Amino acid sequence: MSETKYRISDTTLEAEWKKSNWIGSSYHYCSNCNYGEDGGYPPKAFKLGEFCPHCGAKMKNPQWISFEYDYD
């Protein structure tokens, strides 16, 4: 039986989370595949990860998105 050899690529697909320009929207999307995440309604905190869950691109700007309400 022959030994299977695997090769690993040294390239990394990079992208970034982009914010939608809709007023009041919490929608963010991958600049590579346009996969989107949002906080729903009413908005709740969510994480934009280090990698896109759809295309696997390494994100340049992973972050937590949170909302603060002023009830004065």
Side-chain angles (χ1 to χ4, degrees), residues 6-72:
Y6 295 94
R7 189 169 47 161
I8 298 173
S9 173
D10 60 353
T11 59
T12 302
L13 178 63
E14 288 190 349
E16 62 185 321
W17 291 111
K18 299 271 189 175
K19 184 173 182 353
S20 170
N21 58 1
W22 300 329
I23 295 173
S25 173
S26 64
Y27 187 76
H28 290 70
Y29 61 94
C30 172
S31 63
N32 182 56
C33 70
N34 294 327
Y35 170 82
E37 299 266 346
D38 73 355
Y41 187 82
K44 58 186 177 296
F46 63 100
K47 182 179 181 181
L48 297 172
E50 291 185 44
F51 296 92
C52 175
H54 188 259
C55 70
K58 181 171 176 52
M59 297 309 213
K60 296 178 183 177
N61 58 342
Q63 57 193 295
W64 275 98
I65 305 297
S66 63
F67 302 91
E68 293 183 21
Y69 298 100
D70 186 10
Y71 293 107
D72 287 342

